[in-house]
Amino acid sequence: MKKFISLISAAVFSATLVLPQTLAFSAAAEESALEESTVFDAAAAEANPFQATGTANTLPYQLRFVPERNFVTAEEVAAGDVVIPAAVYISGSTANRFGSVMVKYDAFRNDEKTDSVYFSGISTGDTAHRTSEKKTYNSSQGTFTTDYVPYCFGSVYDDEYDSNSPMFTTREYACDPIFGSTITSAGKNKIKFNASFYNSADERKNGVKKTNKDFIADVTVDENGNGVYSYDYIDQSSFQTITKTATLPRYNPDTPEGEKLPDTCNSVMWVAGTSQLKDGAEFLGSTSDEFPLFHVNIVISKGTASGIYDVQFLTRETVGANEAPTQLTSNKSKEFPTELVGTSIAVGVDSVAVTDSQQDNVQFYTDSNTNIIRATDFASKILADVTYTDGTTESDVDITRLVDCYGATPKELYDKQAKNGFFSSPNMPLYYNGKLLKWKTTDKNVTQNIMVGKRGDLNFDGGVDSTDIFYLSLYIAQKAVGMKTTLYTGTSTDANMEDFAFYLMDFDTLGQTSTATLDSTDIYYLLLYVANRAVGNHIAWDSFVL
């Protein structure tokens, strides 16, 4: 045994010596592959730079809507609008390059769109949202100070932050639907925007300079509080005069003159900056969700009725006709498979009692995961009878997005409660707004089987080293010659230990595919990880996963 481990240790030492050459070769191969595909992808991008030309062969990414809180009291909404800061994160591999991201979302009540919940104050990583003062941020790539809003596709070099000149397009401010010009207040019940246009086909044909005009229109307020305005314009195809009527969401007639009017704030599109267009953008940090893609406020309107309100990303099935859906796209115009995880806001809830639940048998995590454990990780639905503080009730309401483990994270559970090299709780209690979640029929706790381990730690000794390389190599070699063998050789009698060990050692697919297997690729990644750590390089497992 000692000889085998010594041999593996020698292999690790050798890997540290050849690591620079290995990385250089990989980079050259990647660059060559990129050059070969440039002509094809450029042709597709020229036709429509935001249209995906296929699906990337990767594990699914996850797009998450994360509010600072999920619960609002009836007293709060009775007193006024309740503003909840939120952010949208991308979770997944850091090995891929991104070209664009389209995010669309809306608020729903019982699967119907609602005006009681809306959005405001989008904040992105572009120049338009630079702050008045510089702030200091800590990241896995060092501490940096900037007046930009750091976002997931920024970068840090020598403690200097670079936004990489991103191109963000949002519905933060209202624009007229014909010219796309920003609308400002022109005083009480009036709006103004500026546009340029040709008065006739002859003007366009002869290259006459366009007419520049300030459009001013009166605004009336409808029963829903939206502003309605009309204006005449010259259609640039037929050159006929046409009257256009449009609306302004939640129009405030007293908006100061010259101030921009807000739009729906429910759409954000990001495109890689000019310095990243060819090669694509990389994530800032060792994990993709160290920083959000953007920030936005969820606003619960004053007087909103008690209930569960859902914020959902819009898909091809739910987005409007001829509109682009939510999607993540690579720099080669391939769409990344993506799991969309929205959120819910509970207003005026007094108590809940679970009536039905569909949960996975067990949920595995790694100790590096610092995200709050949520029921959306392992449950397709948790339904409950809900009683509100106003005395009203609802049956079989989906509360899945409101359930967690009392705010616990996998990292906290592993660091504080791991035994024998891993954390395991077959009956981890679930919580709703800090209260134990109970079954309606039995009043027993609703629970989930949760296990947390260290990725790469096959012998569960708390470290990742040459011993783990040896045991993984031995397992793969024995499987290759048809020997009956197991990954887990410890004393635990938990029936999930073998699958758990597989999850911790499957570095490229995380056991998430139907064809997942352990092979030489996993040995290579484990060698690479240990070798990098041996020479002091910080490396994250997410950089291996495609």
Side-chain angles (χ1 to χ4, degrees), residues 116-273:
S116 297
V117 176
Y118 64 95
F119 307 94
S120 71
I122 288 176
S123 179
T124 66
D126 59 7
T127 303
H129 293 93
R130 294 175 75 169
T131 57
S132 58
E133 295 182 359
K134 290 187 175 183
K135 296 182 179 180
T136 299
Y137 301 86
N138 296 317
S139 77
S140 59
Q141 295 188 359
T143 300
F144 60 90
T145 301
T146 182
D147 56 357
Y148 279 91
V149 177
Y151 76 113
C152 62
F153 293 120
S155 57
V156 175
Y157 298 103
D158 296 328
D159 298 330
E160 291 291 330
Y161 176 79
D162 188 348
S163 69
N164 296 316
S165 303
M167 292 178 279
F168 278 99
T169 303
T170 74
R171 293 197 63 175
E172 182 178 7
Y173 295 110
C175 297
D176 87 275
I178 300 301
F179 300 100
S181 301
T182 301
I183 297 174
T184 61
S185 170
K188 190 176 181 66
N189 292 313
K190 289 183 179 294
I191 58 99
K192 173 183 175 181
F193 64 89
N194 181 271
S196 298
F197 54 90
Y198 293 111
N199 290 285
S200 67
D202 287 340
E203 283 190 0
R204 183 169 63 183
K205 179 180 179 180
N206 297 324
V208 176
K209 185 178 180 180
K210 288 183 176 181
T211 298
N212 185 270
K213 175 184 176 181
D214 284 336
F215 289 77
I216 298 177
D218 294 325
V219 183
T220 59
V221 181
D222 66 17
E223 66 277 8
N224 297 316
N226 297 316
V228 181
Y229 65 98
S230 299
Y231 61 95
D232 294 335
Y233 71 98
I234 297 175
D235 181 80
Q236 297 297 280
S237 296
S238 66
F239 292 97
Q240 299 295 312
T241 298
I242 298 175
T243 298
K244 178 64 179 179
T245 299
T247 60
L248 297 165
R250 300 172 303 281
Y251 174 68
N252 178 7
D254 297 318
T255 302
E257 186 171 350
E259 189 171 301
K260 296 178 183 178
L261 297 177
D263 202 354
T264 55
C265 289
N266 64 349
S267 174
V268 174
M269 182 177 71
W270 164 86
V271 179

Side-chain angles (χ1 to χ4, degrees), residues 466-481:
S466 58
T467 304
D468 301 296
I469 298 173
F470 167 76
Y471 283 121
L472 178 61
S473 302
L474 181 63
Y475 171 84
I476 292 173
Q478 289 175 335
K479 292 284 285 188
V481 296

Side-chain angles (χ1 to χ4, degrees), residues 418-464:
K419 294 181 179 179
N420 300 317
F422 63 94
F423 169 85
S424 176
S425 177
N427 296 293
M428 187 82 170
L430 301 183
Y431 288 79
Y432 176 95
N433 196 19
K435 299 177 182 178
L436 281 168
L437 199 60
K438 302 277 189 178
W439 286 101
K440 179 180 179 180
T441 54
T442 64
D443 199 40
K444 291 183 178 180
N445 294 341
V446 181
T447 63
Q448 172 64 32
N449 188 356
I450 288 176
M451 303 180 74
V452 186
K454 184 181 290 293
R455 189 166 299 286
D457 181 17
L458 183 53
N459 65 342
F460 294 96
D461 67 351
V464 180

Side-chain angles (χ1 to χ4, degrees), residues 4-19 464-470 473 523-524 526-535:
F4 273 117
I5 295 178
S6 296
L7 287 172
I8 294 297
S9 298
V12 173
F13 177 72
S14 299
T16 65
L17 297 179
V18 302
L19 180 59
V464 180
D465 51 31
S466 58
T467 304
D468 301 296
I469 298 173
F470 167 76
S473 302
I523 296 176
Y524 167 73
L526 185 55
L527 276 165
L528 191 62
Y529 180 87
V530 173
N532 269 278
R533 291 283 178 161
V535 296

Side-chain angles (χ1 to χ4, degrees), residues 63-65 103-105 312-315 318 326 340-342:
L63 193 67
R64 296 183 292 118
F65 214 112
V103 183
K104 292 185 177 179
Y105 46 92
Q312 300 177 11
F313 293 107
L314 302 185
T315 65
T318 57
T326 297
L340 304 177
V341 182

